[in-house]
C-alpha cells in the first residue's frame, strides 16, 4: 500500500509504564523516577472529573490543581509553566486527550520541568512525538518540545 514510502523515526519513544487502575498512577510515576510534587493539568470536561479522582488517590506526593486547559495554545503552555513555577512543583502531570498533551509539552519546554502524561484517548496521534502544532496569531506552527513520560491505565 505504501510502496517506496520511507519512514524515519526521530528520537526514541517515551518511557512508559502500564498500571491497572487509577489508584496505581502514583506508583507508576514512582517507577518512572518521579518523586515529589506535581501540577495536575486536565481538560474542562470529563478529564477534570477524572483528574479530581486521581488527586484524591495521591497519598505520598503533593498534587496541586487541576489547572484546566481550554485549547492547545502558547497561552495555555505559558499559563501552565507559570503555575508550575508559582506552586514550586517538580513535575507537570497531564491527564486528558490531545490538547492536554500539547500544552504540557509546551509548558515543559518553557519552564524546564519534566512532564508525565496519562492519555485518555487511545487514538491520540501526538503521544510519541516531540513536535506539537500550535497557533500563534492565527498561524499554525510546529514546535519541537521535550518528550514526556507516559502512564497508561489499562
Amino acid at each position: 500500500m505504501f510502496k517506496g514510502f520511507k519512514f524515519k523515526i526521530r528520537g526514541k519513544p517515551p518511557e512508559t509504564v502500564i498500571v491497572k487502575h487509577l489508584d496505581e498512577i502514583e506508583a507508576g510515576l514512582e517507577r518512572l523516577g518521579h518523586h515529589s510534587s506535581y501540577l495536575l493539568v486536565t481538560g474542562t470536561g470529563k478529564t477534570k472529573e477524572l483528574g479530581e479522582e486521581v488527586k484524591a488517590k495521591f497519598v505520598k506526593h503533593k498534587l496541586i490543581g487541576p489547572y484546566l486547559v481550554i485549547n492547545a495554545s502558547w497561552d495555555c503552555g505559558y499559563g501552565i509553566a507559570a503555575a508550575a513555577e508559582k506552586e514550586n512543583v517538580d513535575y507537570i502531570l497531564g491527564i486528558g486527550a490531545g490538547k492536554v498533551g500539547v500544552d504540557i509539552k509546551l509548558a515543559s519546554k518553557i519552564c524546564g520541568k519534566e512532564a508525565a502524561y496519562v492519555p485518555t484517548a487511545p487514538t491520540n496521534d501526538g503521544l510519541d512525538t516531540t513536535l506539537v502544532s500550535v497557533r500563534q496569531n492565527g498561524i499554525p506552527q510546529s514546535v519541537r518540545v521535550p518528550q514526556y513520560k507516559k502512564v497508561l491505565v489499562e
Side-chain angles (χ1 to χ4, degrees):
M1 181 164 142
F2 295 106
K3 192 171 186 177
F5 180 77
K6 295 191 181 209
F7 185 81
K8 183 177 180 183
I9 297 174
R10 295 183 87 174
K12 59 182 183 176
E15 192 175 341
T16 304
V17 63
I18 299 173
V19 298
K20 297 257 183 215
H21 305 286
L22 291 177
D23 55 351
E24 296 176 355
I25 289 176
E26 186 174 27
L29 291 167
E30 287 180 344
R31 290 199 319 256
L32 289 171
H34 285 203
H35 306 278
S36 197
S37 57
Y38 301 84
L39 175 67
L40 175 63
V41 178
T42 69
T44 56
K46 293 281 185 191
T47 59
K48 179 184 175 195
E49 295 170 21
L50 185 62
E52 293 288 356
E53 189 177 338
V54 169
K55 185 176 179 180
K57 296 177 185 305
F58 263 58
V59 293
K60 292 194 230 172
H61 304 90
K62 183 169 81 170
L63 185 61
I64 296 169
Y67 183 95
L68 303 179
V69 168
I70 297 167
N71 57 23
S73 68
W74 279 106
D75 289 343
C76 283
Y78 277 106
I80 294 166
E85 292 291 332
K86 179 183 174 204
E87 297 293 347
N88 197 28
V89 296
D90 297 312
Y91 303 101
I92 299 167
L93 173 62
I95 298 176
K99 63 187 172 186
V100 171
V102 167
D103 287 337
I104 67 169
K105 285 180 183 181
L106 282 173
S108 178
K109 178 183 181 76
I110 294 164
C111 69
K113 295 184 185 288
E114 191 173 338
Y117 186 42
V118 180
T120 58
T123 59
N124 184 340
D125 62 350
L127 287 176
D128 297 338
T129 182
T130 57
L131 282 176
V132 295
S133 179
V134 291
R135 290 185 179 270
Q136 186 167 21
N137 300 323
I139 301 168
Q141 57 182 211
S142 293
V143 180
R144 186 148 314 275
V145 292
Q147 185 63 273
Y148 48 56
K149 295 182 178 181
K150 283 193 306 194
V151 177
L152 299 178
V153 181
E154 286 188 303

